[in-house]
Amino acid sequence: MKVVANGLLEKISGPADLKKLSIEQLSDLAQELREAICKQVSTSGGHLAPNLGVVELTIALHYVFDFAHDRLLFDVGHQCYTHKLLTGRQPLLSKLRQKNGMAGFPEPRESHYDLFSVGHAGTSVATGVGMARADSLMGQGDRCVVSLVGDSSIVNGVSLEGLNNAGTLNRQFLVVLNDNGMSIAKPEGAVSKYLDQVRVNKAFGDLKKNTKRLLSEIPMGNQLERLYERAGGAIRGALHPHHLFSEFGLVCVGPMDGHDLPALIQMFEQAKNFDRPLLIHCKTIKGKGFDFSTKDPTTFHSPSPFEVERGKVEWKKKGRSFTAAFGDALTSTMQKDERVVAVTAAMPDGTGLSKVSPHFPKRVFDTGLCESHAMDMCAGMAKVGIKPFFAVYSTFVQRALDQVFQEVALQSLPVRVCLDRAGYVGSDGAVHHGFMDLNLFKPFPGIVMLAPSDEPNLIAALEFMRMYDSGASFMRYPRDEVPSHPISEDVPPFQLGKAHLVRRASSEKPDLAILAYGTEVYEALKALQNMGSEASNVALYDARFAKPIDVDLVTRLVRSETPILTIEENMVSGGFGSSVLEALNSRNLPTNSVHLMGMPERWVYQNSRAGQLAEVGLDAAGIEQKVRSLMVQIQRPRRKQVKRDFRVIEAQS
Amino acid sequence: MKVVANGLLEKISGPADLKKLSIEQLSDLAQELREAICKQVSTSGGHLAPNLGVVELTIALHYVFDFAHDRLLFDVGHQCYTHKLLTGRQPLLSKLRQKNGMAGFPEPRESHYDLFSVGHAGTSVATGVGMARADSLMGQGDRCVVSLVGDSSIVNGVSLEGLNNAGTLNRQFLVVLNDNGMSIAKPEGAVSKYLDQVRVNKAFGDLKKNTKRLLSEIPMGNQLERLYERAGGAIRGALHPHHLFSEFGLVCVGPMDGHDLPALIQMFEQAKNFDRPLLIHCKTIKGKGFDFSTKDPTTFHSPSPFEVERGKVEWKKKGRSFTAAFGDALTSTMQKDERVVAVTAAMPDGTGLSKVSPHFPKRVFDTGLCESHAMDMCAGMAKVGIKPFFAVYSTFVQRALDQVFQEVALQSLPVRVCLDRAGYVGSDGAVHHGFMDLNLFKPFPGIVMLAPSDEPNLIAALEFMRMYDSGASFMRYPRDEVPSHPISEDVPPFQLGKAHLVRRASSEKPDLAILAYGTEVYEALKALQNMGSEASNVALYDARFAKPIDVDLVTRLVRSETPILTIEENMVSGGFGSSVLEALNSRNLPTNSVHLMGMPERWVYQNSRAGQLAEVGLDAAGIEQKVRSLMVQIQRPRRKQVKRDFRVIEAQS
C-alpha cells in the first residue's frame, strides 16, 4: 500500500491542527487518512468500507465544529477511525482492535472526544436528544449537538423513536444522514428504497424554485416556511420538504454529495447556527478510495487481514467458523423441511445466511437493522405454522427481549433463534459480547436453551429445533472456529434436557464431574488431556441444555457425593451453573460440592477471543488450574473421612 | 346506566350474526355495545375510553372481513371489548378482568378470533407482516391481514420498524390507524403533531383533483401512480400522497371519520381487494358516546369503578398507592435538587408524574410510547450531569433492556429508573406483570437494584438514588397501596448493599431469619404476627438491596447456623434469593439451610392482585405455611442433634 508523502496527517495531534489547514489541503488529508486506514486494516483486520465512506464527512465536521465543547455522537460507531485519527489517537492505530490499542468503536476511556462507547445501532439520535435537553437545562445551550447516522441505522426503531422526539426540540440539533445505500449488506425495507430514489441535488446553491410553494401544501408547511426564512442560503437551496423525515418535524436538506468537502463545510457552517432540528442527507460511497472496496463493500465491510497484489485481493487462510457450519446445516435443514425459513436483521454474511439464500431465495428474509421487528415477524410466521429460524448475534437479540416475552414466549410459539457470537467476541470488545442470553431468556416458561459444542452437535441441535414444536428454542455458539477434530462425527440426537457424557471417569466413583455448556466442552477436554493421569478419574459431560438442565444427572451426582464443576461462557451469575444451584436447593440437596465457572461480572475490552478467554480463566489453562485446586480441596476431607458439617466447610474456604 | 331495548347485541353470538344486520341497524348496535361496555366498566373498572372510540371501526371490520379466515391483529389490545362481544364472549363480560372471566386484552385462550395476547404496544404491524408472509408461503395468500393500530402505538419503534418492512410486501396488508389524537395521556412527539394537523377529508368520495399531479412529484410517485390506477374509487378519492407513512412504502388514504359506519364499510370493502400494503387513517374520538368520557378521556382511559349520578362522576374510595407516594416523593426530591428531572414514556398518570409536572413543567419529559428512546435520552442527560429519574412500568422497561446495557451500564452513567407495577399487577394479567426486572438488570456491572417496603422506605430509597452517582440505580415497587401503618415513620437511610433488621428474634440464636425484598416485608410481618409466640424467635430483615446483596449478613447467618428464608416478588429463578445462593456458593458456604420463595415459572392470568399473590403463596398465608413447614424441618434435626450429612438431607426432602 503506497503512502502519500505530504505528511499532513502526522502533524495533526488534535482538531486544532486540522483547523489550521486550508480547504484545499483537506483533500490531500483525506487521501492520507484513507491510506493509513486501509494499510492498518489490511494488516490487522477491522472495519474498512464504512470508514472509507465517511472521511470527508468527519473532516468537515471537525473543521466546522469544536467537539471539545460541542457534542459528536456516532451511531453503531464502526465508522469512527477518521475521527480517532484526528483527535490524538494516531499512536494507537498500529494496535487497532487489540488489547490496549485503539478500540474499533468509539470509546470514552480513550478520549473525551468519544461520548459513548457504541456498537449497537440507532442510539445516536436518542442520546443526542438527551444531551441537547440537558445542555439547555444546564445553561449551556450553545453547545451544538451532532448525530452522525447511517442509512441502515436510521430505520432502526430506536432511531425512529429518537427522530420523533428530536422533532420537538426547540434548539439546534443536527442529524447527518450518511447514506451510502448500503447497510452491512445491501439493505432491505421501504425506507431504503425511498432513499435510493431520492436524487442528489448537486447544485444545492441554486434555490429550488418551487420549494416555497410546496412548503405551503404540506401539513406542517407553515412552520417549515417560517424556518425557511431563518435558514441560510445553503440550507434554503437544499431544502427537501417531501423528505421522509420532514414529517418527523425535522427540517431536511439534501441529498448532497458527502465527499464534496467545500460544500459540506459550507453547509455545516450554516447548520451550526440553525436553531432547530435539521437533517442533512449526504450521499456517500461505501468503501470510497479503492477499487476493490467500492466494488465489493460487503466483503470489505469488516475484512480479516488481506493483501492487494496487482489489484487482486488475497486473504489469509482461516478455519471453518461456527457461522459457516450453521449456514451449511441450515441449508440442509431447509432442504429437508419446506416449512423452515431463515430470517436475519441485516446480517446475512455475519450469520451465515448468505450461504443459504442462493439455495432458497424466497425463504430467506432480511428485515434490515430491525431486530424487534424480526422477532415479531417470526412470531407471526410461527403462528401460521411456518418454522422460522432467526439467526442473530447474541448481543443484538437484546433488542428483541420484550418481543420474546410477549409475542413468542407468552404465546408458546415455536420460534427458533440461533445466537451467533455468544460469549466473547474478540476484537469488537465490550459492545459485542454475548454474555447474558441465558439470563435474558431463562425466565420465560417453556423456552428451551441449548448449545452445541462442535459441528456434529450443531447439526444435531438444529435437527432438535426443527422438530421441537412446543415452544421457542434458542441455540448459541461462539464467534470461533468449530473444533477441527470433533470428539465424534456421529453424535446421539439431542434429547430435551439431557446432557451427554463425552469422557468417562476411570472409576465408578469419579473425583469430579465437569458439566460444560457449549464449546467449553473442548476447553475442558484439553485441560483434562493436559493433566494426563492426574485427571483420569474426572468425568466430562456436554451439558447441551441450559434450560431445562439435566436435573436427574445433577441429582444423581450430588447423591453419589460426586463434586460438580459447571463451565459456561455466559455470566456465572444467573447462568447455567446458577440453574444447577437452584435446582439442587429447591430439592433440599446441598450445593457445597458444586463449583461454578463462567464469565465474571465485569466489562472485558478488545483483545483476541483467545486472550479474553484466558483473561477470565475460561480457556484450557484456566480450567486446568481450577480442576487442580478443586482436586486438592475435594481429596483432603475425603482422605480424612471427616463428616461434612458447617465447621469443616468453613475451614475449606 | 340505561340500556337500549333493541336487543340486537344479545342476538349476536358470532360475526355471522353481525353480517345478517342491515347497515342501518349497525348504529343501534354500536349504541348497545357502548352501553354494555360502560355499564360493565363502571362496575368492575377496566379500559373505557379506548374501547368507546373503536366501536364503529370494529363493527365495520367484522362486517366486511371474515376473521375466522382473515387475520385481525390488535395493538396494545385494550380496545378489544367490542371485538370480544362480537365474537361470542358476551357471557364472560360480567367477570371482566376477573379470574376465569373476560381478559382485558386479546387472549387466544379465550377465542381463536384473538391471535396474540397483547398488552405492550407496537407489535401488530410486525406480527401481521409475519402472518402475511407465512400465509403466502403456505399457499393461503387469500387470507387478508389487518392491523388495528392507535396513533400513540404507531410511533413506537417496533411499529415503525414494522411499517418499514410492511412497505416491501407485495400483497394485501391493511393497517387501520385509529387516530384519536390521544395516547393514554395527551401524546408527545413530532408525529403526533403531524397527525393533529392532517385534516379529515370528509368527502373522500370526491376525487381530490390534484392527487395525480402530486403523485408524480414525490420520489416513489411512479409506483404510487400505478397503484392508484388499480385502486377502487373510495381509495383513490381519499389518497393522501404526502402522508408520513406513504414514504414507508404504504399507500395511505384518509383521514376519514372513524365513526361513519357506511363510509368505513365502503372503504374496507375496497381495501379487502387491494393487493398492496394500505394504511387507512381514521380519526376517532376517544371515549365517544358519553359526555364524561369524551371530556376527560385520560381519566376514563382505564378507570376504577365509578357511578354517574346526575352527570357527576362518583369514585369509590381507594387507599394511597405507591404511584402517588412516588409522585409526592419525587416532587420533594426535585424541590431539593435542581439537577433532578423526571421522564415518562406516555404514562404521566400511571407513573405518578402528573403529580410532579404542575410543580416543574420544564423538568418533566414525556417521550410518547418510546421506552427505548426514553432510556437513551436519560443516558444522554446523565452524561451531561443532569439526574434523570425515568418512571416506567417494570413490564415496559423490557423494551429498553439493550439501552440499559449499552448506553447506561457500559458507560457507568447514573440513570435512575423507578419501576412501577413490579410484581403481580392484578386484572391486567400476564401481559403486564413485572416478573423479571431483577433477572434483566442484575447482570450489568455496577448497577444497583433496590426496593422500598413502604412509603418511608420509598422516600429513603429515592434519597439514596439522588445521591448515588457511581452508576445506574433501579428501584421497584408494586401496583398496590402503601402500608397504611408503616413499621416506622422514621427509617434509617439506605446504605449500599445493607439490609435493615425490622423485627428482632426473641433470642440470640433465631430459629429462622427472613430476608424479604420490597413489600413482601409486610406479608412476612403479617405471617409472623399471625403465628404469635410460635414465631417469636424468627428475625425479619428488609433486604432493601437485591444488588448488591448484604453478603455480610447472609454469611454471618450461615456461619451461625441460622436458616434463611428469602422472599421476593420476582421470578424465584435468577432473582434475589438466587443471588444469595450464588454468593454463599462462591464463598464455599453451604446453602442447604437457605430457602427461596418467589414467583414461580408459569404465566399467571387476570385476577385481583391479592388473588394472584395467594395463588402462588406470596401472601401472608402462604408465607405462614412455608415458615411452619420450615420450623418443623429445622427443629427436627436440631432436637435430635444429628450431624448434617447427605443422608439426613435426603431424608428431609
Side-chain angles (χ1 to χ4, degrees):
Chain A
M1 197 90 17
K2 95 182 148 66
V3 176
V4 239
N6 298 5
L8 290 171
L9 180 56
E10 67 195 31
K11 288 185 202 130
I12 294 179
S13 62
D17 298 322
L18 174 72
K19 290 175 202 281
K20 290 177 199 154
L21 301 185
S22 67
I23 292 186
E24 292 68 39
Q25 285 175 302
L26 297 181
S27 303
D28 291 338
L29 177 67
Q31 181 62 11
E32 286 185 47
L33 280 159
R34 285 205 163 84
E35 298 200 353
I37 290 168
C38 189
K39 184 172 167 234
Q40 180 58 39
V41 173
S42 70
T43 313
S44 59
H47 285 97
L48 184 61
N51 278 295
L52 296 176
V54 298
V55 173
E56 286 82 7
L57 277 180
T58 313
I59 291 175
L61 285 170
H62 275 289
Y63 200 74
V64 172
F65 293 90
D66 167 15
F67 292 115
H69 183 72
D70 299 324
R71 317 292 197 174
L72 175 58
L73 292 140
F74 280 88
D75 207 289
V76 186
H78 57 216
Q79 67 293 73
C80 66
Y81 296 1
T82 294
H83 162 76
K84 290 197 172 192
L85 297 178
L86 296 178
T87 53
R89 282 171 276 179
Q90 291 175 42
L92 294 176
L93 179 63
S94 65
K95 292 185 77 182
L96 176 66
R97 292 156 56 90
Q98 293 164 42
K99 191 167 185 173
N100 303 320
M102 193 171 105
F105 295 93
E107 180 49 79
R109 297 182 317 140
E110 270 176 22
S111 165
H112 63 275
Y113 282 102
D114 294 6
L115 296 173
F116 282 82
S117 32
V118 284
H120 292 202
T123 66
S124 73
V125 175
T127 49
V129 168
M131 295 193 85
R133 289 207 195 285
D135 276 336
S136 296
L137 282 169
M138 300 278 277
Q140 48 191 33
D142 64 315
R143 291 175 182 244
C144 293
V145 178
V146 180
S147 295
L148 176 60
V149 196
D151 58 311
S152 56
S153 275
I154 204 86
V155 299
N156 182 277
V158 191
S159 284
L160 295 170
E161 288 186 357
L163 289 171
N164 184 32
N165 278 271
T168 66
L169 286 174
N170 282 320
R171 53 153 286 162
Q172 181 281 337
F173 182 76
L174 173 61
V175 177
V176 177
L177 176 60
N178 165 32
D179 176 11
N180 58 29
M182 291 295 293
S183 178
I184 289 166
K186 187 71 196 142
E188 301 292 329
V191 171
S192 72
K193 266 195 221 165
Y194 167 86
L195 293 174
D196 270 1
Q197 294 181 33
V198 179
R199 289 172 302 275
V200 172
N201 177 1
K202 280 195 182 153
F204 70 84
D206 294 339
L207 186 63
K208 238 174 131 181
K209 283 195 193 87
N210 54 357
T211 299
K212 271 195 89 164
R213 181 181 58 77
L214 285 169
L215 283 177
S216 65
E217 287 178 8
I218 59 173
M220 295 174 86
N222 284 344
Q223 202 180 322
L224 276 177
E225 222 168 330
R226 283 196 300 276
L227 290 170
Y228 176 85
E229 301 302 339
R230 263 142 72 185
I235 291 178
R236 279 209 299 275
L239 202 67
H240 194 315
H242 287 161
H243 202 286
L244 170 60
F245 303 113
S246 302
E247 292 172 280
F248 278 88
L250 286 83
V251 176
C252 294
V253 300
M256 58 183 292
D257 178 356
H259 301 291
D260 181 345
L261 271 164
L264 289 171
I265 289 169
Q266 187 195 350
M267 183 62 90
F268 292 157
E269 284 290 359
Q270 295 194 353
K272 198 171 150 180
N273 300 311
F274 191 64
D275 62 353
R276 285 297 178 275
L278 173 69
L279 180 141
I280 302 181
H281 182 182
C282 300
K283 291 264 189 184
T284 60
I285 296 163
K286 186 164 178 173
K288 181 161 173 101
F290 304 97
D291 276 354
F292 60 88
S293 55
T294 43
K295 273 185 203 150
D296 189 1
T298 301
T299 302
F300 286 95
H301 175 77
S302 180
S304 36
F306 62 94
E307 271 184 57
V308 183
E309 291 289 342
R310 296 189 196 98
K312 200 171 163 283
V313 177
E314 301 281 341
W315 300 93
K316 294 200 185 157
K317 277 239 171 96
K318 290 209 315 180
R320 178 169 171 81
S321 64
F322 267 95
T323 307
F326 167 73
D328 290 338
L330 189 62
T331 304
S332 305
T333 304
M334 289 172 72
Q335 270 151 359
K336 194 157 35 178
D337 189 337
E338 61 178 16
R339 293 211 171 182
V340 174
V341 302
V343 175
T344 174
M347 303 284 174
D349 289 298
T351 58
L353 292 195
S354 52
K355 298 192 91 173
V356 182
S357 36
H359 304 284
F360 302 103
K362 294 195 171 163
R363 285 162 63 194
V364 177
F365 298 91
D366 184 347
T367 61
L369 266 182
C370 300
E371 293 86 1
S372 307
H373 167 79
M375 189 64 79
D376 274 0
M377 186 179 88
C378 288
M381 291 176 141
K383 182 82 186 174
V384 171
I386 287 289
K387 300 179 177 182
F389 281 69
F390 180 19
V392 56
Y393 296 180
S394 169
T395 192
F396 293 148
V397 84
Q398 294 171 190
R399 283 280 171 86
L401 182 270
D402 192 53
Q403 287 67 43
V404 173
F405 157 62
Q406 187 180 263
E407 287 79 73
V408 177
L410 184 55
Q411 325 293 327
S412 300
L413 287 173
V415 170
R416 284 79 169 176
V417 185
C418 303
L419 302 174
D420 200 318
R421 282 137 172 91
Y424 291 114
V425 295
S427 48
D428 280 337
V431 290
H432 275 207
H433 300 313
F435 66 100
M436 62 180 295
D437 48 77
L438 290 184
N439 304 61
L440 296 184
F441 304 116
K442 263 179 29 182
F444 300 120
I447 273 192
V448 168
M449 306 206 61
L450 62 165
S453 51
D454 56 21
E455 185 163 4
N457 275 287
L458 185 146
I459 294 166
L462 214 55
E463 179 59 11
F464 173 87
M465 292 167 83
R466 181 177 78 82
M467 298 300 290
Y468 187 74
D469 257 327
S470 319
S473 47
F474 282 66
M475 169 169 71
R476 80 195 305 259
Y477 40 90
R479 180 177 202 165
D480 212 334
E481 294 171 12
V482 293
S484 48
H485 300 289
I487 300 166
S488 163
E489 288 292 350
D490 184 26
V491 300
F494 273 56
Q495 252 189 294
L496 182 64
K498 287 294 158 205
H500 172 222
L501 178 64
V502 291
R503 183 189 192 264
R504 207 172 282 282
S506 58
S507 83
E508 287 295 298
K509 178 120 189 65
D511 290 338
L512 178 70
I514 297 179
L515 273 67
Y517 187 58
T519 49
E520 285 296 319
V521 169
Y522 279 81
E523 297 300 326
L525 192 66
K526 263 182 268 172
L528 296 181
Q529 284 164 348
N530 293 345
M531 290 176 75
S533 63
E534 265 185 285
S536 62
N537 198 27
V538 174
L540 173 61
Y541 292 86
D542 182 338
R544 288 188 158 189
F545 290 86
K547 182 176 181 183
I549 62 161
D550 193 335
V551 175
D552 289 346
L553 172 65
V554 295
T555 308
R556 205 167 62 238
L557 290 170
V558 169
R559 290 202 165 130
S560 66
E561 293 183 44
T562 306
I564 295 172
L565 173 63
T566 66
I567 314 177
E568 67 196 295
E569 210 182 324
N570 183 86
M571 292 279 296
V572 67
S573 171
F576 164 67
S578 181
S579 286
V580 172
L581 292 184
E582 289 172 356
L584 293 171
N585 180 266
S586 71
R587 285 163 182 77
N588 281 348
L589 290 168
T591 60
N592 18 3
S593 61
V594 181
H595 307 272
L596 273 47
M597 288 184 83
M599 294 162 98
E601 192 186 309
R602 61 180 174 81
W603 305 115
V604 172
Y605 298 99
Q606 74 271 9
N607 193 348
S608 66
R609 179 171 146 79
Q612 287 162 342
L613 287 172
E615 242 177 275
V616 304
L618 283 174
D619 61 346
I623 293 171
E624 184 179 340
Q625 200 184 338
K626 180 77 178 180
V627 172
R628 277 185 201 284
S629 85
L630 286 179
M631 301 283 266
V632 172
Q633 208 180 108
I634 290 158
Q635 284 162 2
R636 200 184 337 141
R638 187 167 292 164
R639 276 196 297 271
K640 290 187 190 165
Q641 291 295 318
V642 176
K643 285 258 184 200
R644 281 155 187 269
D645 69 5
F646 288 101
R647 278 161 301 276
V648 172
I649 289 148
E650 271 193 46
Q652 286 171 17
S653 70
Chain B
M1 197 89 18
K2 94 181 149 66
V3 176
V4 238
N6 297 5
L8 290 171
L9 179 55
E10 66 194 31
K11 288 184 202 132
I12 292 179
S13 62
D17 298 322
L18 174 73
K19 289 176 202 279
K20 289 177 198 154
L21 301 184
S22 67
I23 292 185
E24 291 69 38
Q25 285 175 303
L26 297 181
S27 306
D28 291 338
L29 177 67
Q31 182 61 11
E32 286 184 48
L33 281 159
R34 285 204 164 83
E35 299 200 352
I37 290 168
C38 189
K39 184 172 167 233
Q40 179 58 38
V41 173
S42 69
T43 314
S44 58
H47 285 96
L48 184 61
N51 279 295
L52 296 176
V54 298
V55 173
E56 286 82 7
L57 277 181
T58 313
I59 292 175
L61 285 170
H62 275 289
Y63 200 73
V64 172
F65 294 91
D66 167 15
F67 292 116
H69 182 71
D70 299 325
R71 318 291 197 174
L72 175 59
L73 292 140
F74 281 87
D75 207 289
V76 187
H78 57 215
Q79 68 292 74
C80 66
Y81 296 2
T82 293
H83 162 77
K84 291 197 171 191
L85 296 178
L86 296 179
T87 53
R89 281 170 278 178
Q90 291 175 43
L92 294 176
L93 178 63
S94 64
K95 292 186 76 183
L96 176 66
R97 292 156 56 90
Q98 293 165 42
K99 191 168 183 172
N100 302 322
M102 194 172 104
F105 295 93
E107 180 50 79
R109 295 182 319 140
E110 270 175 21
S111 164
H112 63 275
Y113 282 103
D114 293 6
L115 296 173
F116 282 82
S117 33
V118 284
H120 292 203
T123 65
S124 72
V125 175
T127 49
V129 169
M131 294 192 85
R133 289 208 196 283
D135 276 336
S136 295
L137 282 169
M138 301 278 277
Q140 49 192 32
D142 64 314
R143 289 174 182 245
C144 293
V145 178
V146 180
S147 295
L148 176 61
V149 197
D151 58 310
S152 56
S153 275
I154 204 88
V155 299
N156 182 278
V158 191
S159 282
L160 295 169
E161 288 186 357
L163 289 171
N164 184 33
N165 278 270
T168 66
L169 286 173
N170 282 320
R171 53 152 287 163
Q172 180 280 338
F173 182 76
L174 172 61
V175 178
V176 177
L177 176 61
N178 165 32
D179 177 10
N180 59 29
M182 291 294 292
S183 180
I184 289 166
K186 186 73 198 142
E188 300 292 329
V191 171
S192 72
K193 267 195 220 163
Y194 167 86
L195 294 174
D196 270 0
Q197 294 181 34
V198 180
R199 288 172 303 277
V200 171
N201 177 2
K202 282 197 179 151
F204 70 84
D206 294 339
L207 187 64
K208 237 173 131 180
K209 284 197 192 85
N210 53 358
T211 300
K212 271 196 89 164
R213 180 182 58 77
L214 287 169
L215 283 178
S216 64
E217 287 177 8
I218 58 173
M220 294 175 86
N222 284 343
Q223 203 180 322
L224 276 176
E225 222 168 328
R226 283 196 299 276
L227 290 170
Y228 176 87
E229 301 302 339
R230 261 142 74 186
I235 292 177
R236 277 207 302 272
L239 203 66
H240 194 314
H242 288 161
H243 202 287
L244 170 60
F245 303 112
S246 301
E247 291 172 283
F248 278 89
L250 286 84
V251 176
C252 293
V253 300
M256 58 183 291
D257 178 355
H259 301 292
D260 181 344
L261 272 164
L264 289 171
I265 289 169
Q266 187 196 351
M267 183 62 91
F268 292 158
E269 284 289 358
Q270 295 193 352
K272 199 171 149 181
N273 300 311
F274 191 64
D275 62 353
R276 286 295 178 276
L278 172 70
L279 180 141
I280 302 180
H281 182 181
C282 300
K283 292 264 191 186
T284 59
I285 296 163
K286 187 165 177 173
K288 176 151 177 112
F290 303 98
D291 277 355
F292 60 88
S293 55
T294 44
K295 273 184 202 149
D296 189 0
T298 302
T299 303
F300 287 95
H301 174 77
S302 180
S304 36
F306 62 95
E307 272 184 55
V308 184
E309 291 288 342
R310 294 189 199 98
K312 200 171 164 283
V313 177
E314 301 281 343
W315 300 94
K316 295 200 183 158
K317 277 236 171 97
K318 291 210 314 182
R320 178 168 170 80
S321 65
F322 267 94
T323 306
F326 167 74
D328 290 338
L330 189 62
T331 303
S332 305
T333 304
M334 288 173 73
Q335 269 149 1
K336 190 154 41 176
D337 189 337
E338 61 178 15
R339 292 211 172 183
V340 174
V341 302
V343 175
T344 173
M347 304 282 173
D349 290 297
T351 59
L353 292 196
S354 52
K355 298 192 93 175
V356 182
S357 37
H359 304 283
F360 302 103
K362 292 194 173 164
R363 285 162 64 194
V364 177
F365 298 91
D366 184 349
T367 61
L369 266 182
C370 300
E371 293 85 2
S372 307
H373 167 78
M375 189 64 78
D376 274 0
M377 186 179 88
C378 289
M381 291 176 141
K383 181 85 186 171
V384 170
I386 287 289
K387 300 180 177 181
F389 281 69
F390 179 21
V392 56
Y393 296 180
S394 169
T395 193
F396 294 148
V397 84
Q398 294 171 188
R399 283 279 171 86
L401 180 270
D402 192 54
Q403 288 68 44
V404 173
F405 156 62
Q406 186 180 264
E407 286 80 73
V408 177
L410 183 56
Q411 326 292 326
S412 298
L413 286 173
V415 170
R416 283 79 170 175
V417 185
C418 303
L419 301 174
D420 199 319
R421 284 144 173 85
Y424 292 113
V425 294
S427 49
D428 279 337
V431 290
H432 275 207
H433 300 313
F435 67 100
M436 61 180 296
D437 49 78
L438 290 183
N439 304 62
L440 296 184
F441 304 116
K442 263 179 30 183
F444 300 120
I447 274 193
V448 168
M449 307 208 59
L450 63 165
S453 51
D454 56 21
E455 186 164 4
N457 275 286
L458 185 146
I459 294 166
L462 215 54
E463 180 59 11
F464 172 87
M465 291 168 83
R466 181 178 78 82
M467 299 299 291
Y468 187 75
D469 257 328
S470 319
S473 47
F474 283 66
M475 169 169 71
R476 80 195 304 261
Y477 41 90
R479 180 177 203 166
D480 212 332
E481 293 172 13
V482 294
S484 48
H485 302 288
I487 301 166
S488 164
E489 287 292 349
D490 184 26
V491 300
F494 273 56
Q495 253 188 293
L496 183 64
K498 287 293 158 209
H500 172 221
L501 178 64
V502 291
R503 183 189 191 266
R504 208 172 280 282
S506 57
S507 83
E508 287 295 298
K509 176 117 190 68
D511 291 338
L512 178 70
I514 298 179
L515 273 67
Y517 186 59
T519 48
E520 286 295 319
V521 169
Y522 280 81
E523 298 299 327
L525 192 66
K526 263 182 270 173
L528 296 180
Q529 284 164 348
N530 293 345
M531 290 175 75
S533 62
E534 267 185 286
S536 62
N537 198 26
V538 174
L540 173 61
Y541 292 86
D542 182 339
R544 287 189 159 189
F545 290 86
K547 182 177 181 181
I549 62 162
D550 193 336
V551 176
D552 290 346
L553 172 65
V554 296
T555 308
R556 204 167 63 238
L557 290 170
V558 168
R559 290 204 164 127
S560 65
E561 294 184 43
T562 307
I564 296 173
L565 174 63
T566 66
I567 314 178
E568 68 195 295
E569 211 181 324
N570 183 85
M571 291 280 298
V572 67
S573 171
F576 164 66
S578 181
S579 287
V580 172
L581 292 184
E582 289 172 357
L584 294 171
N585 180 266
S586 70
R587 284 161 182 78
N588 281 348
L589 288 169
T591 60
N592 18 1
S593 61
V594 181
H595 307 271
L596 273 46
M597 287 183 84
M599 295 162 98
E601 190 186 310
R602 61 181 173 81
W603 306 115
V604 172
Y605 299 99
Q606 74 271 9
N607 194 348
S608 66
R609 179 170 146 78
Q612 288 162 343
L613 288 172
E615 242 178 276
V616 302
L618 284 173
D619 61 347
I623 294 170
E624 183 178 338
Q625 200 185 339
K626 179 79 177 179
V627 172
R628 277 183 202 284
S629 84
L630 287 177
M631 301 281 266
V632 174
Q633 208 179 111
I634 290 158
Q635 284 163 0
R636 198 182 342 136
R638 188 168 291 163
R639 278 197 297 272
K640 291 189 191 162
Q641 291 296 318
V642 176
K643 286 259 184 202
R644 281 159 184 267
D645 68 6
F646 288 101
R647 279 161 300 278
V648 172
I649 289 149
E650 271 193 47
Q652 286 170 16
S653 68

